[in-house]
Amino acid sequence: MNGLDRGFANYGDVAFSRFLRRSFLHASGRSPESLDRPVIGIATSPSDFNPCHRALPELVTSVERGILSAGGLPMAFPTISLGESFLTPTSMVFRNLMAMDVEEMVRAQPMDAVVLVGGCDKTVPAQLMGAFSAGRPAIQLVTGPMSTGRYHGERLGACTDCRRFWARYRAGEVDDVEIAEVERNLATTAGTCAVMGTASTMACIVEALGMALPGSATAPAVHADRLRVGEATGAAAVEIARAGRTPDQVVTPASVRNALRVLLAIGGSTNALVHLTAVAGRLGLRIDPDELNALSDTTPVLVELKPTGDHYMEDLHASGGLAAVLHELRDLLDLSAPTVTGKTLGDLLGEGPRWVDRSVVRPLSDPARPVGGLVWLRGSLAPQGAVIKRSAADPALFETTGRAVVFTSLEDLAARIDDPDLDVTPDDVLVLQNAGPRGAGMPEAGYLPIPGKLARAGVKDMVRISDARMSGTAYGTIVLHVTPEAAIGGPLALVRTGDRIRLSVSEARLDLLVDEAELARRREALPPPPPGPATGYGRLFHERVLGADQGCDLDFCVPPALS
Ligand code: FES
């Protein structure tokens, strides 16, 4: 450990650099002795634009308590923060920017280990990506989920219920007064979305990866357990610093496989697959589509949280937390996988929780669904892949051949989806083009609304296909992340209204049923890709972002073996 003596500002005189650094730090009023302790950075991400992180100051204080009690010197520092619904065109564009911020600040500042404190969808993967590239000992602490609110006697939690009520509003079942009241009751505490959306999925994945303490994924943001986990994480960070335990010693192919098992068993978000691909990729670890599908076929869904079940994250916490899930899955997990604590996953599992609410965490012998939530599709429409969340989809639509109704952009979708004259039937396949990483930053627009006239007629689900993402809180028979994306000339760009498309979940296939000669003609006539932003980070993202199959990372951030 180097403590404050790591990586001096270069004045051409190292002794002077050290003297100057310590002089300035005395301005903080810390005791002179404390400056010789192991330095534990705390990467914080507070922002008024990120209400999910509202409780972060108190949580950081609990981390500092833990660090001090274990003999470390806590040094909190801010990075940018990404509030999911406050960023245009989409927070996805800025995940890699936050990762760069974290990486550079962890590397440039003197710290022996770092506690990463984040929660809202993109912040956790960004922090892990950055810390993994920095290579310094690190441990993740999530902010924890929101608690539910009440509306006319019904529990509400962001954001599956947001979508449910909005769909009812669009269908004319909910009026303006009611939707305004619902708006005020969906997100009523600090914390991340209350369901098994992307933030909750990432929290569970981080714990399964071994990068966070046991029990840390589910404690609600406003629960005392969250602060206890914060304190324990701070203390653990000092031990990790002393041991020099870097992320590459923790995250291995075995722990990534365990994380995929958990992703599948919790019915987790499709976004998490992109993020886990990017996070693992920073350590040179690849996710193999065939392995994902094999794991999916042998991992039942055990957790009954929205959007696939009826419960919320606070219920999972009260039902034993992720430990209850891991314990059920123990025969499917690699228990020898290391964790940030220095113990193996098997060591940490122990006997499992003494009581589990089986309406929330099903036993392996009687799962919520017999197979896992996600399927990686391939075929002529998605040569490099696409994903469907079968646990949130309608099985009646799993084997569908239908007529494409194409929207060429997000603007085209917005302009025509509710047109009463739109030529569309419930058996058609809605296709959205140019919403991938280069086309539009890959927003969560893959949850195409049911066309207004069909919604009013009672249609609840249709097959929908795009190169966009979907919120982890959403549901429907929705094919996402089609790669290569339309904006760089992928086959998705060649689809025209009236074409036939075949989806087969059982065969993991997605095919465009148009002959190759016709596709070649269309390919010739494609316009050149649209220019991206002319300057700044937007230009960097546009020019260097990889496809969804590579986690949408920037090509120069990925180790050469994977780029
Ligand atoms: Fe922050 Fe859902 S909006 S976690």
Side-chain angles (χ1 to χ4, degrees), residues 50-53 82-86 119-123 143-146 158-159 191-195 197-200 444 471 473:
N50 193 348
C52 303
H53 290 196
L82 306 176
E84 191 55 27
S85 51
F86 290 85
C120 195
D121 291 17
K122 307 301 179 298
T123 61
T143 56
M146 285 179 208
C159 219
T192 50
C193 284
V195 299
T198 303
S200 301
E444 290 186 337
S471 165
T473 63

Side-chain angles (χ1 to χ4, degrees), residues 159-171 269-271 307 387-389 392-394 407 410 413-414 417-418 430-433 435 442-452 455 459-482:
C159 219
T160 302
D161 296 325
C162 318
R163 295 173 198 288
R164 182 166 59 85
F165 271 94
W166 193 251
R168 291 181 61 199
Y169 178 64
R170 280 178 53 80
S269 159
T270 47
N271 287 325
V387 69
I388 185 168
K389 186 175 180 180
D394 180 354
F407 301 91
L410 291 157
L413 176 72
I417 191 73
D418 289 334
L430 304 180
V431 175
L432 171 64
Q433 299 167 325
M442 207 179 183
E444 290 186 337
Y447 179 69
L448 275 67
I450 301 294
V459 175
K460 298 277 188 260
D461 197 7
M462 296 172 69
V463 175
R464 290 160 267 180
I465 298 173
S466 73
D467 45 10
R469 295 178 301 115
M470 173 174 87
S471 165
T473 63
Y475 45 87
T477 309
I478 297 173
V479 177
L480 303 153
H481 312 176
V482 170

Side-chain angles (χ1 to χ4, degrees), residues 2-24:
N2 301 83
L4 287 174
D5 287 350
R6 180 192 293 271
F8 288 112
N10 196 348
Y11 298 108
D13 177 346
V14 171
F16 175 71
S17 297
R18 183 174 190 274
F19 165 73
L20 202 64
R21 174 174 289 175
R22 294 174 76 90
S23 299
F24 276 101

